[in-house]
Amino acid sequence: MMRLHVLATGLALSLTALACPAQPKLGCTDTPHRQFDFWVGQWDVTTPDGKPAGTNRIESIAQGCALLEHWEGRGGFSGKSLNTYDATDQRWHQEWVDAAGGRLSLTGGWSGSQMVLEGTLPDDKQPGRLVKQRISWTPQTDGSVRQLWQTSADDGKSWDVAFDGKYVRKK
């Protein structure tokens, strides 16, 4: 009888383990997930000539597994992005949406001393053609961050500056 009880208890524990799979490890603390942390914070953003361009708040969400951007530009233009590192393809992904209905998907990663993400958008001037988009974020020695957004309509042979911003932490 005792042996049957032990066997039944063992079977019950085994079935419980099958019915309740192990919980995934929460949080993203490994190095690749931390590569974009230099961008986290509240920022005043200016153009290269020092004129105000807007403000940006970048927050770490989902226990460090993503960054959420809240952009507020001069003149009321606003947008948000969700930035995540995908360990499967070992790349960063950004999904941007803005108040004008714009959307941009970027992928990339750490390159040298900067984060570089790239994607494409349809060409407004020539339907059917894509324009390459490249945005880099470079941490500066003074604690600021330079964001450089470039576009190429000739498949990367030449690049034009769409936005050049200096991020300075709010006090």
Side-chain angles (χ1 to χ4, degrees):
M1 185 72 160
M2 179 67 139
R3 189 173 181 176
L4 183 59
H5 176 69
V6 170
L7 184 60
T9 302
L11 181 61
L13 290 173
S14 296
L15 290 174
T16 301
L18 289 173
C20 301
Q23 293 296 316
K25 181 185 123 222
L26 297 179
C28 298
T29 58
D30 57 323
T31 300
H33 283 96
R34 306 275 54 93
Q35 289 174 326
F36 222 162
D37 281 0
F38 67 86
W39 197 32
V40 173
Q42 294 191 35
W43 305 91
D44 287 316
V45 184
T46 61
T47 59
D49 59 4
K51 292 181 181 167
T55 61
N56 214 345
R57 179 171 49 95
I58 316 302
E59 61 182 303
S60 177
I61 62 169
Q63 297 189 359
C65 294
L67 299 180
L68 181 60
E69 172 186 18
H70 307 268
W71 169 257
E72 293 290 332
R74 302 282 292 175
F77 181 77
S78 64
K80 295 193 183 303
S81 74
L82 182 64
N83 303 267
T84 60
Y85 178 77
D86 184 342
T88 304
D89 69 3
Q90 299 181 341
R91 295 187 307 167
W92 277 87
H93 298 263
Q94 181 183 91
E95 294 296 327
W96 164 267
V97 294
D98 61 45
R103 186 183 74 76
L104 178 60
S105 296
L106 302 168
T107 58
W110 194 254
S111 177
S113 62
Q114 59 190 352
M115 180 65 70
V116 180
L117 304 180
E118 298 180 336
T120 59
L121 284 175
D123 191 335
D124 292 336
K125 299 173 184 116
Q126 290 188 333
R129 190 169 82 169
L130 295 175
V131 176
K132 286 188 173 218
Q133 310 290 314
R134 178 173 65 197
I135 305 178
S136 61
W137 293 262
T138 309
Q140 306 295 304
T141 56
D142 65 359
S144 66
V145 174
R146 180 184 186 199
Q147 179 183 345
L148 180 62
W149 181 355
Q150 299 170 294
T151 64
S152 175
D154 59 10
D155 203 32
K157 293 181 184 87
S158 63
W159 293 90
D160 295 315
V161 174
F163 177 76
D164 191 353
K166 180 178 183 179
Y167 283 59
V168 177
R169 289 191 189 278
K170 288 181 175 259
K171 295 188 172 147

